Amino acid sequence: DQQVKQNSPSLSVQEGRISILNCDYTNSMFDYFLWYKKYPAEGPTFLISISSIKDKNEDGRFTVFLNKSAKHLSLHIVPSQPGDSAVYFCAASVRGGSNYKLTFGKGTLLTVNP
Amino acid sequence: DGGITQSPKYLFRKEGQNVTLSCEQNLNHDAMYWYRQDPGQGLRLIYYSQIVNDFQKGDIAEGYSVSREKKESFPLTVTSAQKNPTAFYLCASSSFGTSGSYEQYFGPGTRLTVT
């Protein structure tokens, strides 16, 4: 049973436009969410996170929105750049849990066209 | 430079052989993790360790073993019992969220090919 779902395997956008990557979760115990970016044959790098006490967190071109009632979060990248082309993973965790595990989605491949 | 190192980058083994993947971190993190990535599967947790000399199974531990004798090191052994060992293996570490954050930091990965 997949607790974190990224239903779009891929997304293509034009340089300079907005990229919106979506993530849904089913476990209502999750209260901390993260986005990672991954290039082929490399380890994922942390991008941005949000706790359940917030509905928005912003860091430069990256903004994450959380809708707890819908169990949905999204990552906005504005403006998109060709270097943003990568696989983006959504992850979720239960803070205060005993194991600090992250549950990952399957990822969305973002392609930013020049 | 602080970070996580994994070696080697590429590893080739014959079927039936055990192989050990190295993971070292100098971030002074207490927790360490092993994941595997397969095409279209995302990251799946194999084992994790929160403290030296202690570790727990993740979601797909069968056919794998680990040890945590030092805080800095968390090697993963892929045994001959693992049915589909060919994959990209990622090691990660994290602090215990004392700063309120729960990010895991990843190494560069090891691509294991078993034929």
Side-chain angles (χ1 to χ4, degrees), chain B residues 21-112:
Chain B
L21 282 60
S22 166
C23 177
E24 304 277 335
Q25 55 100 358
N26 60 6
L27 299 167
N28 200 33
H29 285 168
D30 292 290
M32 297 186 74
Y33 312 80
W34 273 105
Y35 295 88
R36 69 176 275 169
Q37 185 191 14
D38 298 281
Q41 288 292 323
L43 277 66
R44 294 185 290 169
L45 182 65
I46 303 172
Y47 267 98
Y48 62 101
S49 167
Q50 295 173 263
I51 196 168
V52 174
N53 292 324
D54 188 42
F55 47 83
Q56 287 78 41
K57 293 181 178 180
D59 301 318
I60 54 166
E62 185 175 351
Y64 299 98
S65 66
V66 293
S67 63
R68 187 85 187 277
E69 296 176 4
K70 299 186 300 181
K71 186 176 183 178
E72 304 80 22
S73 178
F74 191 41
L76 173 75
T77 297
V78 184
T79 76
S80 55
Q82 166 51 231
K83 291 183 170 49
N84 297 296
T86 295
F88 188 54
Y89 289 88
L90 288 157
C91 178
S93 69
S94 70
S95 62
F96 274 164
T98 53
S99 63
S101 62
Y102 289 75
E103 296 88 35
Q104 292 182 13
Y105 295 88
F106 285 83
T110 292
R111 168 72 62 184
L112 173 65

Side-chain angles (χ1 to χ4, degrees), chain A residues 86-107:
Chain A
V87 176
Y88 289 78
F89 290 100
C90 170
S93 178
V94 178
R95 282 184 308 174
S98 61
N99 54 39
Y100 303 91
K101 286 169 56 178
L102 293 180
T103 301
F104 285 85
K106 293 187 175 183

Side-chain angles (χ1 to χ4, degrees), chain A residues 63-91:
Chain A
T63 302
V64 55
F65 295 91
L66 176 62
N67 182 333
K68 289 190 295 289
S69 60
K71 294 191 178 67
H72 176 84
L73 62 155
S74 60
L75 175 68
H76 292 210
I77 306 173
V78 182
S80 300
Q81 300 172 353
D84 296 329
S85 297
V87 176
Y88 289 78
F89 290 100
C90 170

Side-chain angles (χ1 to χ4, degrees), chain A residues 6-114:
Chain A
Q6 295 178 255
N7 292 319
S8 298
S10 62
L11 173 68
S12 183
V13 300
Q14 280 302 119
E15 181 178 6
R17 306 295 292 269
I18 184 171
S19 295
I20 300 177
L21 298 108
N22 293 304
C23 179
D24 297 293
Y25 61 96
T26 58
N27 187 345
S28 57
M29 296 297 291
F30 287 145
D31 59 1
Y32 194 79
F33 304 89
L34 308 90
W35 284 95
Y36 284 83
K37 174 182 179 180
K38 186 183 180 302
Y39 294 116
E42 293 184 12
T45 54
F46 169 71
L47 269 179
I48 192 169
S49 62
I50 188 168
S51 74
S52 59
I53 61 172
K54 294 183 176 182
D55 54 17
K56 176 182 174 182
N57 190 25
E58 193 171 353
D59 184 1
R61 296 186 297 114
F62 302 92
T63 302
V64 55
F65 295 91
L66 176 62
N67 182 333
K68 289 190 295 289
S69 60
K71 294 191 178 67
H72 176 84
L73 62 155
S74 60
L75 175 68
H76 292 210
I77 306 173
V78 182
S80 300
Q81 300 172 353
D84 296 329
S85 297
V87 176
Y88 289 78
F89 290 100
C90 170
S93 178
V94 178
R95 282 184 308 174
S98 61
N99 54 39
Y100 303 91
K101 286 169 56 178
L102 293 180
T103 301
F104 285 85
K106 293 187 175 183
T108 296
L109 173 62
L110 173 66
T111 303
V112 180
N113 301 302

